[in-house]
Amino acid sequence: MPYDIYAEKIILNYEHPHNKGVLKDADTRFKEYNQVCGDEIEVYIKINNKKIKDIKFIGRGCAISMASASMITDFIKGKSIKEIEEYNVDTVKNILGMDPGPVRMKCATLSLRAIKEAVEKYKLEK
Ligand code: FES
């Protein structure tokens, strides 16, 4: 896929984010900040049988952080806790279909960091 199609996908996800909102019956939640800009994302996750049953997020941030939250939350549904623990920067590049570069990578991984922390918190509390 050419680069501009990936860029278009990011703009679409920024303008029309998927999974935006709060899960009232979430099993775990976590708010993560980007220390550099102060932007934040809070994720709400419902877990069943060690798998992500549902996920939503709220927050504010740049186009990359919001678009990647939309795309990553789509991707994460149905995945196991073990799979999530293994996801990293390369996973985010694959989901976005591009490498946003070292500076924007902190924006792109904001939601994944929140998801990983929420899952870790869930494991500690169980
Ligand atoms: Fe704040 Fe991207 S500039 S998350």
Side-chain angles (χ1 to χ4, degrees):
M1 236 192 279
Y3 187 83
D4 56 348
I5 293 183
Y6 291 122
E8 200 175 304
K9 207 171 155 195
I10 286 171
I11 292 165
L12 270 176
N13 273 273
Y14 173 61
E15 289 176 346
H16 308 284
H18 306 168
N19 312 310
K20 197 98 192 266
V22 169
L23 277 180
K24 288 209 172 83
D25 59 345
D27 294 306
T28 183
R29 57 196 262 194
F30 194 85
K31 191 191 273 189
E32 178 73 348
Y33 301 87
N34 184 340
Q35 309 276 354
V36 182
C37 62
D39 291 345
E40 59 186 39
I41 285 180
E42 184 166 21
V43 295
Y44 297 79
I45 304 175
K46 187 101 192 113
I47 297 174
N48 193 16
N49 249 338
K50 296 187 180 167
K51 286 190 174 171
I52 306 302
K53 193 173 172 221
D54 202 3
I55 178 166
K56 285 197 180 297
F57 75 96
I58 53 170
R60 57 177 181 84
C62 63
I64 292 275
S65 70
M66 292 296 114
S68 58
S70 170
M71 293 159 86
I72 289 169
T73 49
D74 270 350
F75 174 83
I76 229 84
K77 281 183 198 167
K79 300 293 191 298
S80 69
I81 288 177
K82 197 169 175 342
E83 284 174 297
I84 289 167
E85 287 171 340
E86 287 163 6
Y87 294 151
N88 55 28
V89 168
D90 290 330
T91 315
V92 173
K93 284 184 198 167
N94 284 335
I95 294 169
L96 296 181
M98 61 182 282
D99 182 347
V103 176
R104 306 301 278 176
M105 192 46 96
K106 278 217 172 352
C107 308
T109 54
L110 186 60
S111 51
L112 180 61
R113 296 201 305 274
I115 291 165
K116 280 173 159 286
E117 290 287 351
V119 164
E120 196 54 38
K121 200 172 126 199
Y122 174 80
K123 278 174 66 185
L124 288 173
E125 285 168 1
K126 287 286 149 186

